[in-house]
Amino acid sequence: MNRNSLVSISDIGKDEIMRLLRQASYFEANPNQRILQGKVVATLFFEPSTRTRLSFETAVNRLGGRIIGFSDASTTSSSKGETLKDTIKMVSNYADLIVMRHYLEGAARYATEVTDVPVINAGDGANQHPTQTMLDLYSIYKTQGTLDNLTITMVGDLKYGRTVHSLLMALQYFNPTFNFIACKELEMPREYIRFCDEHGIKYNEYRDFTPEVINNTDILYMTRVQRERFTDIMEYEKVKDLYNLNVKMLEGSRDNLRVLHPLPRVNEIDQDVDDSPKAYYFQQAKNGLYARQAIICRALGIEVPEN
C-alpha cells in the first residue's frame, strides 16, 4: 500500500487534517496552477457520481494534470468479467494516481493492496467517503470559525450514509456533541455508536426531528435516503419521506447554524430553504474542489503552501 493513499479518514490524524484544511484554503485563493504538469490521474467510477467525479477532474485540470478513466463501468472490461484486481493493475501502468468509487465496501482498501500507485477512495458502498469528509470539515471550519466544541445534528439515512460515518470519525479530535436523528431502519450503525463510546464522544439518538434539537444545533447535516442501497423497494417507500426540512423549521435556530448536505437531494430539503442564509450545501459542494486539490497533492507527494 502506498503510504499516501487515502482510503479511510482514519488513515490521517488531527495534524494532517488541519494541514489539509490550510492547504484547501490556499487553493481557494490560488486554484489555477501547473503543479501537476506531466501527471496522469485515473478516475475509476464503478458507481454513478456527479459532484465527486467532476470536482476531482476539475481539480486535476486546474492544477495542470491529465485525466483518464471512466464514469460508466458497463463500457469497460469489467462488463466482460475482468476482476477488480486486474483492472487496478492494468490502470496502474498508465496513471500516477487512482481515484476510485465502487459499490462494494472495502473495494478501495483492496485496490491499495494490489498496486503501489496511490489510491484515493471516492466512496466505497456504505462504508467511507474521506474526501467528502475533508470538504465537510472545510465547510464547517469556514462557517463556524472552528471545529471545536460544536453540536452536529445528522438527519436521515445514518445507516447507509458513508458521509456521516466518515465525518463522525474525523470529528473525534474536536470534542463534538452529536445528535443522530433517524428511524430504526436507518439508525446509526452500532459500530459507530461503539466508536463514540470508546472515544468519549457525546451523542444523543432521536426518532423525531424536533425544533428543540434544531434550535440547539450548529451544523445541521441532512442526508438523502438512498434508494440504491435498498433490496426491498417497499422498505424504501416506508422511510423515504420521514425527515424533511423546510425554511420555517429554521426560524428559532442559532444565527451560526448552517445546513449541509452531501447532495444530491431528493425531497429532504425543501427548495424554500435554498434562499436562507443558513443554507450552505451548494457552497459546500464548491469547497470540494479545493479540498480535493489538497488531497491530490498529498497523494502525489507535492508540497503545497498553507494559508
Side-chain angles (χ1 to χ4, degrees), residues 117-136:
V117 171
V119 174
I120 295 175
N121 181 9
D124 60 333
N127 186 31
Q128 287 272 326
H129 198 347
T131 69
Q132 176 73 42
T133 300
M134 290 307 306
L135 76 90
D136 289 346

Side-chain angles (χ1 to χ4, degrees), residues 151-156 158 177-188 190 193 202-214 216-217 242-243:
T151 297
I152 316 290
T153 297
M154 298 175 168
V155 184
L158 308 188
T177 298
F178 288 112
N179 295 318
F180 301 135
I181 301 178
C183 59
K184 184 171 179 56
E185 293 86 348
L186 296 175
E187 66 186 8
M188 185 66 74
R190 294 302 95 181
I193 295 299
K202 300 181 290 295
Y203 65 91
N204 306 290
E205 294 187 272
Y206 301 100
R207 297 283 184 242
D208 297 324
F209 193 16
T210 66
E212 290 74 22
V213 175
I214 295 173
N216 288 287
T217 291
L242 288 180
Y243 302 105

Side-chain angles (χ1 to χ4, degrees), residues 6 9 17 20-21 24 51-53 55-56 101 129-143 147 163 166-167 170 221 260-263 280-295:
L6 181 60
I9 198 65
I17 286 173
L20 286 169
L21 295 183
R51 279 148 296 276
T52 301
R53 181 175 63 85
S55 64
F56 263 116
R101 169 171 286 192
H129 198 347
T131 69
Q132 176 73 42
T133 300
M134 290 307 306
L135 76 90
D136 289 346
L137 291 174
Y138 187 50
S139 299
I140 294 169
Y141 190 82
K142 283 182 66 177
T143 61
L147 294 177
T163 63
S166 293
L167 183 58
Y221 198 101
L260 303 187
H261 191 305
L263 301 177
Y280 196 75
Y281 28 91
F282 295 121
Q283 297 96 318
Q284 176 189 1
K286 184 177 181 179
N287 289 337
L289 169 61
Y290 315 124
R292 287 173 174 131
Q293 285 180 309
I295 291 165

Side-chain angles (χ1 to χ4, degrees), residues 227-264:
R227 180 174 180 172
E228 63 271 25
R229 306 294 179 205
F230 285 77
T231 56
D232 184 343
I233 191 62
M234 295 305 295
E235 284 295 309
Y236 168 75
E237 291 292 333
K238 186 170 74 172
V239 301
K240 68 174 184 176
D241 295 321
L242 288 180
Y243 302 105
N244 306 99
L245 179 69
N246 61 60
V247 73
K248 186 174 178 60
M249 296 167 68
L250 298 175
E251 287 180 352
S253 63
R254 296 173 176 174
D255 290 342
N256 66 298
L257 178 139
R258 292 297 180 270
V259 180
L260 303 187
H261 191 305
L263 301 177

Side-chain angles (χ1 to χ4, degrees), residues 155-184:
V155 184
D157 184 354
L158 308 188
K159 178 178 181 180
Y160 300 113
R162 58 195 172 199
T163 63
V164 295
H165 301 161
S166 293
L167 183 58
L168 182 155
M169 296 179 71
L171 285 168
Q172 66 175 296
Y173 307 109
F174 303 101
N175 192 36
T177 298
F178 288 112
N179 295 318
F180 301 135
I181 301 178
C183 59
K184 184 171 179 56

Side-chain angles (χ1 to χ4, degrees), residues 99-119:
V99 178
M100 187 175 84
R101 169 171 286 192
H102 204 281
Y103 49 86
L104 292 178
E105 296 182 22
R109 183 71 66 190
Y110 176 74
T112 67
E113 296 171 357
V114 299
T115 181
D116 292 328
V117 171
V119 174

